[in-house]
Amino acid sequence: MTDATTRSAVTSSSQGSLSALLPYWQVTFASFLGWFLDAFDQTTLMFTLPDIAHDFGCTIADLGAVLMGQSIGRAVGNTGWGWLADRYGRKPAFMLGVIWFAVFSALTGLSHHFYVLMAVQFMFGIGFGGEWTASAALLMESVPAWTRPMASALMMSGYEVGYFVAAGVQALVLPHYGWRVLFFIGLAPAALALFIRIGVPESPVWLRNREARLAQGRKEHAPPQLRPKFRLTGAAFQAIAFMSFLEFQKAAIYTYYPTILRGSHHLTQQAVFWPVTLYCIGSFSGKVFCGWLAERFGELRVMLSALVVVMLAIWPFLSAPGWTMLLAAAFVMGAAASGIFALVPHYLAQRFPSDTRSFGMGLGYALGSIGQGMAQKFVPMFGPTALTLPLSAEIFVLGTSLVTGAIALIRPKELPGEHMEGDETAS
């Protein structure tokens, strides 16, 4: 959606985007909850890295290879589920992704060998990436055009809520029952698949395009082309590059945050809860606020402003000498760094046509996952001690923030998904 289109939509509508999304609450809630459960399972691994390293007799840098394996799995899931969602529907792909990542989260708690853990987390990553790809495409194609920035923000805010809940659960469970029990809890999300099956309708855009292809096949007395060919346009290439550097930046910010709090700042497991809580509160409010701002001023201005705040806040976020500054920086960093991600589903959806949107969004996120995996491996490699780990993360965040902003400033000649089928009647 262009800035002019956004302002026009907001001006012509007498209702806020939140109230306009109420008729679509099932798909919005399911997308939010899917990302919430993904986050709970993924961040549980981050909170337990020191404990797993102790039990397995390895270092945090060694476990970076496990995180890299998970990221490669996410890349496989993003692209594979994108293909499934384009061909068989967004809804069944969404359900399958939820069940998949829940099962392999539970299996993580049964791992007793480093390479088994790596293999299980690779499989977990497949479901993690697949769930996001299908749900993001389903949500963006189900809600009115002018509400997509806010719908995008609400969906992505599920990650911070999941992160917050994981922080609370680990503070209660980890000291008494160990890290394995936390992963067994991760089996619960499978129940979401039942809600999706009963309460969430299929994407109207996908149904319309499938019917058009079937009708074209009947007219030409030929088999319908159920899988249109994906094209790597300038907009698609921008989406892939943007996500690669943004995912690297975000991973450098938060992957080792609990480890830095426990190692560099010498916080207990219970004390880690407070800065993480403020980070999550900032993230949730920042995502909703950025969605609201993007409807009025355009997503580019919001993204660039948030990147500037990230660069200014990264040092106090990781290295503040005082408790008060550390807490304040956690809130600010959460709002800025996560605020950018609030707009990712909408940003990606605009850069791919409807026929291949899910695959394209999945591909963008997939290669972004590789960027995340590289950060998870490189940050501890260049900062192997408790004193140098924060510095390594800060340098990587500054560099990738600059590159991400430069990529975002590029305006492709065409945005294939700027206007989706049915937009003229949906809004």
Side-chain angles (χ1 to χ4, degrees):
M1 189 183 296
T2 62
D3 291 359
T5 304
T6 301
R7 288 192 293 269
S8 174
V10 173
T11 302
S12 63
S13 177
S14 60
Q15 60 180 164
S17 55
L18 288 174
S19 58
L21 285 170
L22 286 177
Y24 309 92
W25 74 268
Q26 293 98 332
V27 66
T28 304
F29 178 68
S31 300
F32 164 88
L33 196 57
W35 202 221
F36 160 84
L37 296 170
D38 264 355
F40 179 91
D41 289 353
Q42 188 198 37
T43 55
T44 293
L45 180 63
M46 299 176 195
F47 283 115
T48 56
L49 286 177
D51 307 279
I52 296 174
H54 177 268
D55 284 3
F56 282 21
C58 61
T59 66
I60 296 296
D62 292 333
L63 289 177
V66 173
L67 295 171
M68 182 67 180
Q70 183 197 95
S71 297
I72 295 172
R74 284 181 58 193
V76 174
N78 284 136
T79 50
W81 254 259
W83 181 87
L84 287 172
D86 283 336
R87 181 156 189 173
Y88 299 107
R90 318 307 196 202
K91 180 176 172 177
F94 186 8
M95 289 189 293
L96 179 60
V98 169
I99 295 171
W100 186 293
F101 81 73
V103 168
F104 283 99
S105 175
L107 289 176
T108 300
L110 297 176
S111 302
H112 285 81
H113 191 279
F114 179 84
Y115 292 108
V116 173
L117 177 65
M118 184 181 295
V120 170
Q121 278 296 303
F122 168 79
M123 298 299 290
F124 168 82
I126 292 176
F128 182 97
E131 181 279 326
W132 184 91
T133 299
S135 63
L138 176 62
L139 180 63
M140 292 297 99
E141 293 176 352
S142 298
V143 301
W146 72 275
T147 66
R148 284 173 192 146
M150 181 56 72
S152 176
L154 290 174
M155 172 190 168
M156 298 300 283
S157 66
Y159 194 95
E160 277 61 47
V161 180
Y163 194 169
F164 169 74
V165 173
V169 172
Q170 69 86 29
L172 295 173
V173 173
L174 188 58
H176 304 290
Y177 303 103
W179 61 271
R180 297 183 186 278
V181 174
L182 289 171
F183 289 99
F184 297 151
I185 296 172
L187 189 60
L192 174 60
L194 182 61
F195 175 77
I196 300 168
R197 176 68 180 86
I198 296 173
V200 178
E202 181 56 272
S203 158
V205 172
W206 184 84
L207 291 172
R208 189 179 292 112
N209 286 339
R210 184 189 64 169
E211 183 58 36
R213 291 194 296 270
L214 291 172
Q216 183 68 22
R218 289 192 295 266
K219 181 179 179 181
E220 298 176 355
H221 304 288
Q225 185 181 7
L226 294 178
R227 179 65 175 90
K229 185 178 180 181
F230 175 78
R231 294 187 304 117
L232 188 61
T233 63
F237 183 79
Q238 182 191 33
I240 292 169
F242 178 84
M243 287 305 302
S244 297
F245 283 96
L246 184 64
E247 285 273 21
F248 192 111
Q249 179 233 50
K250 186 67 181 294
I253 291 171
Y254 78 89
T255 298
Y256 296 102
Y257 185 48
T259 302
I260 289 171
L261 292 175
R262 291 175 63 177
S264 301
H265 297 277
H266 309 293
L267 300 184
T268 65
Q269 295 162 343
Q270 288 80 5
V272 165
F273 174 77
W274 297 109
V276 168
T277 295
L278 284 172
Y279 176 88
C280 293
I281 293 173
S283 295
F284 181 82
S285 57
K287 282 184 173 179
V288 176
F289 186 55
C290 284
W292 180 83
L293 287 175
E295 289 178 348
R296 286 150 179 80
F297 304 108
E299 64 189 11
L300 178 60
R301 293 178 183 177
V302 176
M303 285 179 172
L304 294 177
S305 299
L307 285 170
V308 171
V309 176
V310 166
M311 295 174 69
L312 294 174
I314 186 59
W315 179 82
F317 175 67
L318 296 179
S319 302
W323 179 244
T324 301
M325 184 183 293
L326 192 70
L327 295 178
F331 178 86
V332 172
M333 180 58 76
S338 300
I340 305 170
F341 268 80
L343 306 175
V344 162
H346 183 233
Y347 180 89
L348 294 181
Q350 294 178 86
R351 282 157 176 78
F352 302 98
S354 297
D355 284 342
T356 58
R357 177 167 296 118
S358 191
F359 178 81
M361 293 175 70
L363 181 63
Y365 227 101
L367 297 182
S369 298
I370 301 301
Q372 181 189 58
M374 292 174 64
Q376 291 165 338
K377 184 64 178 175
F378 288 163
V379 169
M381 184 183 300
F382 289 95
T385 69
L387 294 177
T388 58
L389 186 61
L391 178 61
S392 176
E394 288 158 12
I395 293 173
F396 277 119
V397 168
L398 291 173
T400 50
S401 295
L402 288 172
V403 177
T404 302
I407 295 171
L409 282 169
I410 300 171
R411 172 70 183 183
K413 293 181 179 179
E414 179 187 7
L415 290 176
E418 186 173 14
H419 303 289
M420 299 182 192
E421 296 82 351
D423 274 358
E424 63 277 0
T425 59
S427 58

